[in-house]
Amino acid sequence: MPAHIRVMTVPDLPDHPFSSADATARFAAALAPLLGPGDVILLEGGIGAGKTHFARALIQTRLALAGVVEDVPSPTFTLVQTYEDGQDEIWHADLYRLTHPDEVDELGLIDAFEDAICLVEWPDRLGSLTPQAALHITFSTTDTEGERMARFDAPNANWAARVKQALP
């Protein structure tokens, strides 16, 4: 996370291990119905840490709740994929290939932060455009095969309560 972005970490929201990809997907599925327009989740971590897996599971859950079955590809090359779940618009952005924060505005992502559910991979590319009310989830691998650790940086108690509700 860039040094100039100040995020309040809610003290009673500890790091959480996910024992498998399925456990990560279950958490995403539990969090999915708790989201609404204007909710932004910033997904951080190295390549292969689980960012896209989490986003895909969350989006597929939202779509399934609306009776929609749709492929959810990684937006690595398209930069942004959008979905409609019958209730809300969902944006999934992968900013890895961006070179300057000005490119974010060209994607329409700034407006989406207000009106849609947004999942953003590689959010460090946002620079000063990082939404202050976003939930930060940082995924990392552990020494245990298949296990991921998630660190949650919640800007407020509302986000913290939703994360706690979704955790097993």
Side-chain angles (χ1 to χ4, degrees):
M1 182 174 349
H4 66 278
I5 304 298
R6 198 180 125 261
V7 176
M8 175 183 95
T9 301
V10 177
D12 58 345
L13 195 56
D15 292 356
H16 185 82
F18 292 107
S19 61
S20 65
D22 287 344
T24 303
R26 284 191 299 273
F27 167 66
L31 187 60
L34 306 178
L35 303 177
D39 283 336
V40 178
I41 301 176
L42 305 177
L43 302 169
E44 301 179 72
I47 293 173
K51 301 177 300 293
T52 301
H53 183 75
F54 170 87
R56 183 176 287 130
L58 190 147
I59 293 164
Q60 287 175 330
T61 298
R62 294 281 306 201
L63 295 176
L65 290 172
V68 176
V69 177
E70 187 174 333
D71 187 35
V72 179
S74 170
T76 299
F77 295 104
T78 59
L79 302 180
V80 173
Q81 294 285 134
T82 61
Y83 305 90
E84 288 282 341
D85 68 4
Q87 201 172 11
D88 300 309
E89 190 172 33
I90 305 163
W91 284 53
H92 181 197
D94 184 329
L95 306 182
Y96 183 76
R97 297 181 332 129
L98 295 188
T99 58
H100 195 276
D102 290 346
E103 295 171 299
V104 172
D105 197 32
E106 294 172 22
L107 296 173
L109 197 53
I110 303 305
D111 291 334
F113 288 158
E114 299 295 321
D115 305 325
I117 297 167
C118 295
L119 307 169
V120 181
E121 297 184 47
W122 303 99
D124 59 307
R125 307 309 201 265
L126 291 169
S128 64
L129 301 173
T130 301
Q132 295 302 305
L135 172 67
H136 293 252
I137 304 176
T138 303
F139 290 100
S140 58
T141 57
T142 70
D143 292 337
T144 303
E145 186 175 337
E147 184 179 67
R148 300 292 186 265
M149 185 64 70
R151 185 187 79 223
F152 302 98
D153 293 314
N156 55 52
N158 179 288
W159 266 122
R162 290 188 279 170
V163 168
K164 285 181 184 178
Q165 183 178 342
L167 285 171

